Amino acid sequence: MNRRIFGIETEYGIMSAGDGSAPVLDAEQSARLLFDPLVKMGRSTNVFWRNGGRLYLDVGAHPEFATAECDRVEDLLIQVRAGQELFAELATIANESLEGSGNKIHLFSTNEDAEGNSFGCHENYMLRRNRNFREVADALVSFFVTRQIVTGSGHIHREGKPRMGYSPRAMYMDDPISAATTSSRPIINTRDEPLADPGEYRRMHVIVGDTNVSESSTALKAVMSHLILSAVENGVRISDLALKDPMRVIREIDDQVGSNVTVELENGKTMTAVELQRELKRRALALVDVSDADELTLRMLDLWDRALDAVESGDFTGVETELDWAIKKRLFDRLVERLGTNLRDPRVLRLELAYHDITGDLQRRLEESGQMVRLTNPRDVEVGKVVPPKTTRAHIRGNVIAAAEDYRRDLAVDWLHLRLDDNRAPNVILSDPFAVSDEGADRILELMREQSTGVESFA
């Protein structure tokens, strides 16, 4: 497959639970307390981290972690898990300061709250600027609309008859494609903000995906999208698979886990959601050589097939430790059977909340008991909290950030730029996302080392 940069932005829900002995903190108060250690370090609520990623407070008091640029799925998983653990550690510090107050802060890797508010998990994929992007985006909508039967995180519909749906994000989507960022939620955002050399690249910003707990679901989401995008870049034709009414279809598919609805295409033909996914994959593999793909990618391509087989057959046992919606369905079914109740029972809803609570331990217990497959190594994640991926420009950014922190120097950072508070330092622009070295960044490191040793440069 074509080499690609990708990343994931995860917005977390935040709340404070109280024991009734004191007023409960609202979301903004909880978020301020969460970020307090970073602010006290002389920084802010918008921080680029040593691992090349970014921790910040998004609109609506949502803590968010954006992974560094990755070109390997293994690195992406490590970055996502590292960001989750960094926020969990900040929550632990905040809760220590709240001890005795009756309040405890929780963070949730989910996409909706009980009040009907939605917050996202956005995927970013770098594309070569060699095709009309609108043509590409239009052709990809069918893929992203039907992808939820594989990678949806699962959720409980609270209106009407209680039932599980595939994707909590589906009902909040407004448009197939749009450049809007605040007035609507499109499946694909077309705002042209490449964060790289604009003559070479553009960034596809996907808003429709769920926040996944299972690492297999996260990996599969990236591998599926990477394959389809590689096929599009290689000239695959999928315009005949465009949906007649994608916004209606996305809700129809979500309505109930296990369903395999028939969808109408723009050309008048019909296919089931599974058939459409299979056809997209078949056409992609006809143009993209995966014979030299890494083991994880091949494993995810197999899981894609097994997921479609499960939906088509109604037998989910083959994926019930890997896909979020299948794992949650098994947990909910067992609890409902044991309690003799239904999905509207508050105890079931509490289980759903616990599934996404990164300040709790349900994910760890599920992984350790074999009920949820873990793909990352805990030691690698620990390293990934402070060490960036080695094969992208994140390597440059992370190393300079680490040095600035160690030498106590002020460094202005964003995805493209590095600027040291020294008039001898160059203004570094990292326009190549695949670069792993930069002369300007090396000069910044040299200046910081000189200051620490008292040696002046006469260069």
Side-chain angles (χ1 to χ4, degrees), residues 145 148 157 166 170 245-257 259-264:
V145 165
Q148 63 179 299
H157 283 287
Y166 281 112
D245 188 349
M247 304 321 296
R248 177 174 60 82
V249 169
I250 197 172
R251 290 165 174 77
E252 287 181 348
I253 293 175
D254 167 57
D255 188 66
Q256 188 158 353
V257 154
S259 64
N260 180 24
V261 302
T262 298
V263 301
E264 185 177 1

Side-chain angles (χ1 to χ4, degrees), residues 5 18 88 99 115 140 151 165 219 240 274 296 321 346 405 408-409:
I5 296 289
E99 196 166 339
E115 304 301 320
L140 289 170
T151 63
D240 61 311
V274 167
L296 181 57
T321 62
E405 290 180 355
R408 300 181 182 277
R409 296 294 299 271

Side-chain angles (χ1 to χ4, degrees), residues 143-154 166-167 210 212 214 216-225 253 257-259 273-274 276-278 281 300-312 319 322-327:
F143 167 69
F144 287 115
V145 165
T146 55
R147 187 184 65 169
Q148 63 179 299
I149 65 174
V150 179
T151 63
S153 66
Y166 281 112
S167 168
D210 297 335
N212 293 112
S214 167
S216 296
S217 290
T218 299
L220 180 53
K221 179 167 60 179
V223 168
M224 291 171 69
S225 303
I253 293 175
V257 154
S259 64
V274 167
L276 184 51
Q277 278 284 309
R278 282 209 174 105
K281 184 183 179 188
M300 291 303 103
L301 292 175
D302 174 69
L303 177 55
W304 189 354
D305 285 331
R306 288 188 286 116
L308 298 178
D309 290 343
V311 172
E312 197 165 52
V319 296
E322 296 166 286
L323 301 184
D324 274 315
W325 62 259
I327 298 169

Side-chain angles (χ1 to χ4, degrees), residues 120-136:
C121 177
H122 300 170
E123 302 156 59
N124 295 289
Y125 300 95
M126 193 72 74
L127 302 175
R128 296 281 178 178
R129 196 179 286 274
N130 57 6
R131 291 194 63 179
N132 181 289
F133 182 72
R134 183 59 192 241
E135 174 190 328
V136 172

